Amino acid sequence: MKSSTQISAKSLGLYLAVCFSLLSVLLTLILLVVIDVTVTKQAKASIGGNLAELAHQMSYRLDRAMFERYREVQLMADRIGRDGKPVSGPENRRMLDALQRTYPNYAWIGATDEQGKVLVATRGVLENADVSARPWFQNAKNNLHVGDVHEAKMLAKLLSNNTGEPLRFVDIAFPYGGLDGTTRGVLAAHLSWVWALDIQRSIMEPVDAARKLDALILSADNIVLLGPPGLQGQKLELDSLKKLQLGTNSFNTERLLDDHEYLVGISRGNGYDSYPGLGWKVLVRERLEDAYLPVKHLQMQVLWIGIAVASLFSLLGWRVARIVTRPLKVLSRSAQQLEAGQPVKIDVIKAAYTEVNTLSGSLNSLIGNLQQKEADLKDLNATLENRVDQRTVELKQALESVRDNENRINTIIETAQGAFIGVNFEGRITDWNTQAEKMLGWRREDILGQPLDTLVPERFKATISKTMQVFANTGSANFINTHLERLVLTNDGRELPVEIRIGLINTPKLKFFSAFLHDISERKQVERMKNEFISTASHELRTPLTAIYGALSLVNSGLVGELSPDAKELIGISYRSAERLVRLLNDILDVEKIESRSMTYERVVQPVLPLLEQSIRATQAYADQYQVRFELVCESGQDAQAKVDADRVIQVVVNLLSNAAKFSPAGGAEVTVRLQRLPGFARVSVTDSGCGIPESFRSRVFDRFAQADASDQRQKGGTGLGLSICKSIIEAHEGQIDFVSEAGKGSEFYFDLPLATPG
Ligand code: ADP
């Protein structure tokens, strides 16, 4: 992380510096190319133009000088012979000599007669000589007044020559006439070629001596008249010469009969004023490398300036790169320190550019935030650690407490008097304490994981499985937290009566039934013995009591004689007590029979209605005591038949009628006995308008020895066993018995018997 930051910082500086350098070099190169393309071109044009200008000046000066001579000779021709005196007179010679003196380059001036004999000449040279064959003489007569350069013929020997070169002349000749206007002869002047050299010198000398310029004068047919020694007399075949118009200039690069390349300025003369010119061309040449030397210098200068500028800009670039990257490096160092966890404060870098100021400001606030967050995190961390420590301690304590609880529960379960069995929702045994081992004979390790069925006698297995199924489907279990008495199988195959209390643990993680079993075989034994005793006692008591009851009944009825009122009252009390005792004994014997399953039912299919009529008749005497009237209502069950034991059904109805009468309000109450035929069964109901059954008692109405009011027994007689016996009898007939009651308004007890198909 650290090294990569440094590399990128360095790279940025280097990158910027290299970029600046490259840009400078590129700019310089572009500048050079531009200069080369534009300035060099201009400079070359200017140099060429300069040469052409020189050539033009020389051409002009030559034409101008020739014009002056031309005009002088013409003027002289106009004057000569006009005075009427002979041309050969001394005045004319003096005049010609005077003219020659004014311009020493006049090599010879002379006038001829019409036939070509020289009449007068400067310094008398060639006087009387015949020049009729000379071209200038012929030309003058034909109006050609100028003759091109040629070597001296006749005058070569006569004139002094110290130039070292052969004498060469340019001829100017005009015919002259007499006063009558006729042509009398020709006036001619030979102009020494030296004047051209003078003109050449006068033009070239002011030009920089360092420049090696050559001037060439070419004749109309391009023969070099004047020029460097090798070229003089040579004919130049140059395209540029052919194209050149009269009176124009140009310049060009040419090879002039040698290996060198020259920059050549050319001018073609066009005469001057009346002087028509000889069609000469003037060339001023300079070797190309010399001519373009200033251009080279310029290029070199530009190059050096470019290098200097590039170097300067590179340095500047380097400097700028350092300026740009320095604050970034400072920021980067700060970031590294920050990363290393050192406290950092980035000062606003004043010299830096705005962006870095902003960046450093932002970084500062970021660092502030970060440091704040770090401090917060540390605090949070410390708090969290504290909390974790605290929670760990709490957890340890909780764990210990759980272990203690577990131990406690295990100890409790182990030391509990009853057997403890745990069963999971799949019906498998999961817990089994030592008491269970002792009670049921299975060792813990053998029974754990076994199905609950192992403990259930064969005939109850279907019921247990159904109950478990109902719980699995609906989650409802009415056996929870109630005392149940059941038979369980021991390891040696015995059926052991136990009292069971089942609990339910149903949490997301823990689901099982807990059951405490208490061995009640001894209690059952005692109960059986007690019941047997009661049964035996009741039997033994019932025979004499029935006799007593019969006797008392007889006495009470007065059939055995009138009794004194006191005796009658005593006999009445004895009679009712005996009656109650007989009923109690009957009930006790019935209960005992029901419990010992020794009650027998002689069930015959028969109509139900007669049984109700019999019951009403049997109870009427009892009901009369309470002035209660029975009304039998039979809406739809006249022919309803059921397979029943008539005595037992009558016993049930009598019990219901007795209760209704007993609890009806005194003074002419009515009890309705109703027979209804409902789908599948016949319903018998007994409705009274008595006190009704209090809410709190309703769940226990069918329990043994249950009475709503303990004083009932005293006030109304009764044992609290009647309805319990009724329930057993009706259930033995596959029917059911129930009631609806409203406290203070009355009750309706009813039972349903399955209808028997007639026949
Ligand atoms: P008992 O021999 O005491 O009548 P039962 O088992 O026949 O015994 O009735 C139990 C109790 O039910 C009665 O003591 C009484 O409190 C209540 N009981 C029964 N039938 C009626 C009724 N028709 N009206 C009000 N209470 C009734």
Side-chain angles (χ1 to χ4, degrees), residues 583 587 655-656 659-664 686 688 690-694 697 701-703 705-709 712-713 717-726 741 746-749:
R583 210 164 47 235
D587 283 353
N655 194 75
L656 294 181
N659 281 347
K662 194 162 54 175
F663 294 104
S664 283
V686 178
D688 64 63
C691 57
I693 296 167
F697 181 62
V701 168
F702 293 101
D703 289 354
F705 302 105
Q707 289 178 317
D709 187 345
D712 280 357
Q713 198 173 359
T719 58
L721 290 171
L723 286 177
S724 156
I725 295 164
C726 289
S741 177
S747 316
E748 178 189 352
F749 277 81

Side-chain angles (χ1 to χ4, degrees), residues 511-715:
K511 294 177 190 297
F512 72 98
F513 298 105
S514 62
F516 276 100
L517 277 63
H518 182 60
D519 184 353
I520 54 168
S521 52
E522 278 182 23
R523 194 182 86 198
K524 284 283 169 189
Q525 177 70 22
V526 170
E527 270 179 17
R528 201 164 43 249
M529 284 164 63
K530 183 189 80 186
N531 287 342
E532 278 172 16
F533 169 73
I534 289 170
S535 170
T536 314
S538 299
H539 266 290
E540 292 303 317
L541 283 173
R542 193 165 64 169
T543 313
L545 197 62
T546 309
I548 293 166
Y549 174 62
L552 282 173
S553 168
L554 211 60
V555 174
N556 191 41
S557 64
L559 288 176
V560 285
E562 275 298 310
L563 296 173
S564 65
D566 288 344
K568 194 173 182 183
E569 192 187 341
L570 285 171
I571 288 296
I573 292 167
S574 302
Y575 167 70
R576 282 194 294 279
S577 297
E579 186 191 27
R580 215 166 41 236
L581 269 175
V582 169
R583 210 164 47 235
L584 175 66
L585 284 177
N586 282 337
D587 283 353
I588 287 171
L589 284 170
D590 282 348
V591 167
E592 196 275 326
K593 272 188 200 156
I594 289 165
E595 279 225 327
S596 62
R597 301 176 202 280
S598 55
M599 182 87 100
T600 52
Y601 296 96
E602 307 281 328
R603 292 176 67 183
V604 179
V605 175
Q606 54 192 303
V608 179
L609 187 59
L611 303 181
L612 300 186
E613 289 163 346
Q614 276 188 60
S615 303
I616 289 171
R617 275 197 297 278
T619 324
Q620 193 56 63
Y622 178 77
D624 289 343
Q625 294 173 34
Y626 300 97
Q627 294 97 44
V628 169
R629 203 165 50 79
F630 294 122
E631 191 189 1
L632 178 62
V633 180
C634 183
E635 290 159 351
S636 54
Q638 292 93 334
D639 55 350
Q641 295 207 27
K643 190 180 180 185
V644 292
D645 182 325
D647 289 341
R648 292 299 172 191
V649 171
I650 288 168
Q651 184 183 349
V652 170
V653 179
V654 165
N655 194 75
L656 294 181
L657 289 175
S658 314
N659 281 347
K662 194 162 54 175
F663 294 104
S664 283
E670 191 170 278
V671 169
T672 310
V673 183
R674 189 176 276 115
L675 173 63
Q676 286 169 280
R677 188 193 181 104
L678 297 175
F681 56 87
R683 171 165 291 184
V684 177
S685 59
V686 178
T687 310
D688 64 63
S689 52
C691 57
I693 296 167
E695 185 77 42
S696 56
F697 181 62
R698 285 179 194 173
S699 61
R700 294 183 289 120
V701 168
F702 293 101
D703 289 354
R704 275 179 219 154
F705 302 105
Q707 289 178 317
D709 187 345
S711 60
D712 280 357
Q713 198 173 359
R714 276 195 318 280
Q715 288 175 7

Side-chain angles (χ1 to χ4, degrees), residues 347-363:
D347 295 324
V348 174
I349 305 160
K350 284 187 183 129
Y353 37 98
T354 334
E355 286 80 356
V356 169
N357 278 342
T358 318
L359 184 62
S360 66
S362 309
L363 269 179

Side-chain angles (χ1 to χ4, degrees), residues 477-486 499-503:
N478 54 7
F479 52 85
I480 301 294
N481 285 332
T482 52
H483 283 281
L484 304 170
E485 287 185 8
R486 294 285 184 273
E499 189 182 80
I500 305 176
R501 193 175 175 91
I502 299 175

Side-chain angles (χ1 to χ4, degrees), residues 10 25 56 76 167 260 348 379 396 414 572 599 621 708 725:
K10 265 184 198 166
V25 170
H56 171 71
M76 192 66 74
L167 266 178
H260 296 294
V348 174
D379 284 355
K396 263 187 192 164
E414 274 305 309
M599 182 87 100
I725 295 164

